[in-house]
């Protein structure tokens, strides 16, 4: 406990911390700080969707496609993830920080919907890569018994960026340039890049395990041929979960405003107060999976997310705020356990490449979900009924996890997937 840093007192939602070294605490603090602003940028889009749609003259039937195009930027993140296996975690991580910051700031100047999509696609590319590589760094630098907690803590602190976005969104009607001012705030990380450049170290696992750089195509090929059951199982479960996950979370602020008549300030308050409860899902899922196993905890969290999201959009009523909290709680927890799986199931030499393809899978699923909403809209004339259908389909995710994925909690990375 003597190594616990001063900033930890501001994160009561993480609970009692494990025994970490000074190096591990410093690493967690640095990575959490950069991920905080990545989450801020990502959540701004969802929160400001109604305002962006009105100013940029986007038709209601095209909203799902707009979200899909922006999310497509995460496909490009795979190239940065592959580069992290070739050139090191540290260098590529610094590049991603500069990239997502600059394009977030550029979004504030977008003159039309086309420019908005381009800037946000590129911001999502660098931001997604940053999150992926940060999780790899935690997995490689933390001990086996604390890996899940470390990834969960990283996600929980980063999720505070979404809370910060919610606070800023509460003032969107009073900001001089509306939603554009909120995107300009995303330039703040540039002020810290010099410090991060000096302080972010290369992981010891990468330095010791990677002796010879493998050809890129060989790493990609090995990912799908060395351990096909793991690869197919993880990617299939993730696809099923994010088919509803990305869509349900993306449309939630718009659903509350359009269907339940909530004001932006009400949505901001729910995100701030309810999010403070939901954010516990990150460290809790990590801790539970460290103690009781990745597989059973992943099954519970993915299954509960699908059921609660289905109820949120299909039933609603007076329990909408509580259902929203549950939706975010179990979605965050599911992302922690699947992220832990993604960093543990594969060897060091292509671990970052695997996380890149995991992002491709999640993004492809989210895009399919958003596109499906627009397509199903032509049948049901309701985005909300369309989302409820996708939530029902995502119930297959926990079944896939139970049938195809091994247990990894408490085991050394070299034991789970030796190079």
């Amino acid at each position: 406990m003597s190594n616990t840093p001063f900033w930890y007192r501001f994160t009561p939602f993480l609970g009692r911390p494990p025994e970490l070294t000074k190096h591990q605490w410093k690493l967690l603090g640095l990575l959490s700080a950069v991920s905080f602003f990545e989450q801020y940028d990502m959540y701004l889009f969802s929160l400001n969707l109604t305002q962006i749609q009105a100013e940029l003259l986007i038709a209601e039937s095209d909203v799902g496609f707009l979200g899909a195009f922006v999310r497509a930027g995460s496909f490009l993140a795979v190239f940065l993830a592959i580069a992290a296996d070739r050139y090191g975690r540290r260098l590529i991580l610094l590049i991603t920080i500069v990239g997502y910051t600059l394009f977030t700031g550029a979004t504030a100047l977008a003159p039309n919907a086309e420019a908005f999509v381009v800037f946000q696609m590129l911001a999502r590319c660098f931001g997604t890569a940053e999150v992926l590589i940060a999780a790899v760094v935690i997995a490689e630098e933390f001990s086996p018994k604390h890996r899940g907690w470390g990834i969960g803590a990283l996600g929980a602190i980063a999720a505070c960026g979404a809370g910060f976005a919610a606070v800023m969104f509460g003032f969107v009607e009073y900001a001089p340039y509306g939603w554009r001012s909120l995107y300009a705030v995303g330039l703040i990380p540039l002020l810290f890049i010099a410090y991060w450049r000096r302080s972010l170290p290369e992981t010891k696992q990468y330095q010791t395990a990677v002796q010879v750089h493998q050809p890129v195509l060989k790493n990609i090929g090995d990912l799908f041929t060395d351990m096909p059951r793991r690869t197919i199982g993880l990617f299939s479960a993730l696809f099923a979960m994010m088919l509803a996950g990305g869509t349900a979370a993306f449309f939630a602020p718009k659903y509350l405003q359009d269907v339940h008549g909530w004001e932006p300030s009400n949505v901001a308050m729910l995100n701030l107060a309810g999010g403070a409860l939901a954010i516990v899902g990150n460290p809790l899922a990590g801790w539970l999976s460290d103690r009781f196993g990745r597989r059973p905890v992943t099954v519970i969290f993915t299954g509960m997310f699908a059921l609660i999201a289905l109820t949120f959009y299909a039933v609603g009523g007076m329990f909408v705020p509580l259902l929203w909290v549950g939706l975010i709680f179990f979605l965050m927890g599911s992302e922690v356990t699947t992220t832990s799986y993604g960093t543990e199931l594969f060897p060091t030499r292509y671990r970052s490449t695997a996380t890149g393809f995991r992002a491709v899978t999640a993004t492809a699923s989210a895009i399919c979900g958003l596109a499906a909403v627009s397509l199903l809209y032509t049948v049901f004339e309701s985005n909300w009924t369309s989302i409820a259908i996708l939530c029902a389909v995502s119930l297959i995710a926990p079944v896939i996890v139970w049938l195809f994925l091994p247990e990894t909690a408490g085991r050394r990375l070299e034991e789970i997937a030796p190079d």
Side-chain angles (χ1 to χ4, degrees):
M1 296 295 291
S2 59
N3 290 328
T4 305
F6 78 93
W7 55 260
Y8 197 83
R9 70 187 67 176
F10 301 108
T11 57
F13 48 83
L14 294 182
R16 185 178 179 180
E19 290 288 343
L20 302 180
T21 66
K22 289 183 178 180
H23 169 69
Q24 290 169 337
W25 276 120
K26 180 179 181 180
L27 202 60
L28 179 60
L30 291 171
L31 295 174
S32 298
V34 298
S35 299
F36 176 96
F37 283 97
E38 188 279 332
Q39 287 293 302
Y40 169 82
D41 167 56
M42 185 177 73
Y43 207 60
L44 275 184
F45 184 25
S46 178
L47 283 169
N48 290 276
L49 181 59
T50 297
Q51 290 73 23
I52 294 170
Q53 180 183 357
E55 182 174 337
L56 299 183
L57 304 178
I58 301 167
E60 181 70 16
S61 59
D62 293 333
V63 172
F65 290 121
L66 176 69
F69 282 129
V70 170
R71 286 181 178 271
S74 294
F75 284 133
L76 303 176
V78 69
F79 298 106
L80 291 167
I82 292 173
D85 279 332
R86 182 82 183 206
Y87 301 106
R89 318 314 192 200
R90 177 182 178 276
L91 173 62
I92 306 303
L93 196 57
L94 290 170
I95 291 174
T96 63
I97 296 169
V98 174
Y100 84 71
T101 302
L102 289 177
F103 285 110
T104 297
T107 302
L109 304 176
N112 49 48
E114 291 77 14
F116 178 89
V117 167
V118 171
F119 291 146
Q120 276 295 285
M121 280 184 65
L122 293 172
R124 188 59 59 89
C125 163
F126 287 101
T128 299
E130 185 276 322
V131 170
L132 295 174
I133 299 171
V136 169
V137 170
I138 291 293
E140 292 183 345
E141 292 293 275
F142 276 50
S143 65
K145 62 181 180 179
H146 298 319
R147 276 198 308 264
W149 183 89
I151 292 174
L154 173 67
I157 299 173
C160 291
F164 180 51
V167 172
M168 299 299 293
F169 179 65
F171 300 95
V172 68
E173 295 177 329
Y174 310 101
Y177 298 101
W179 59 270
R180 296 177 184 274
S181 297
L182 306 191
Y183 276 102
V185 174
L187 290 169
I188 290 177
L190 287 180
L191 302 176
F192 303 100
I193 191 64
Y195 172 74
W196 286 328
R197 184 174 62 84
R198 295 193 304 268
S199 303
L200 281 173
E202 184 57 81
T203 68
K204 296 181 179 64
Q205 185 84 16
Y206 178 83
Q207 291 175 319
T208 57
V210 181
Q211 302 297 331
V212 179
H213 291 307
Q214 297 289 341
V216 171
L217 291 180
K218 186 180 189 317
N219 277 353
I220 296 174
D222 290 347
L223 172 62
F224 292 94
T225 57
D226 282 0
M227 303 172 180
R229 183 182 179 87
R230 295 182 179 186
T231 302
I232 295 172
L234 176 63
F235 291 176
S236 298
L238 189 63
F239 187 93
M241 184 189 79
M242 290 307 296
L243 193 68
T247 308
F250 176 75
F251 275 100
K254 178 177 171 60
Y255 174 69
L256 293 172
Q257 293 175 80
D258 291 359
V259 176
H260 296 281
W262 287 36
E263 296 294 328
S265 58
N266 300 133
V267 176
M269 185 60 67
L270 176 63
N271 277 267
L272 191 60
L277 298 174
I279 202 174
V280 177
N282 287 71
L284 181 61
W287 178 80
L288 288 173
S289 66
D290 280 337
R291 183 166 184 178
F292 300 106
R294 301 279 187 262
R295 189 163 64 165
V297 174
T298 303
V299 166
I300 293 172
F301 271 73
T302 54
M304 288 300 297
F305 160 73
L307 290 173
I308 291 178
L310 175 61
T311 306
F312 177 77
Y313 282 101
V315 180
M318 62 183 294
F319 297 107
V320 160
L322 291 177
L323 290 171
W324 181 88
V325 172
L327 185 157
I328 301 300
F329 176 91
F330 285 105
L331 178 59
M332 286 182 169
S334 298
E335 290 176 346
V336 168
T337 57
T338 54
T339 297
S340 298
Y341 259 134
T343 59
E344 295 170 332
L345 290 175
F346 308 100
T348 302
R349 64 187 174 87
Y350 59 82
R351 179 171 294 120
S352 186
T353 299
T355 64
F357 276 93
R358 180 169 55 83
V360 167
T361 302
T363 301
S365 177
I367 289 174
C368 288
L370 290 168
V373 169
S374 289
L375 293 174
L376 290 172
Y377 181 87
T378 62
V379 179
F380 300 101
E381 297 184 350
S382 169
N383 284 333
W384 324 124
T385 301
S386 303
I387 296 171
I389 292 173
L390 296 180
C391 292
V393 172
S394 70
L395 283 169
I396 194 175
V399 177
I400 296 173
V401 170
W402 188 258
L403 293 178
F404 289 92
L405 297 185
E407 186 53 68
T408 59
R411 300 170 62 190
R412 296 172 62 247
L413 294 177
E414 296 84 351
E415 177 188 354
I416 300 169
D419 278 293

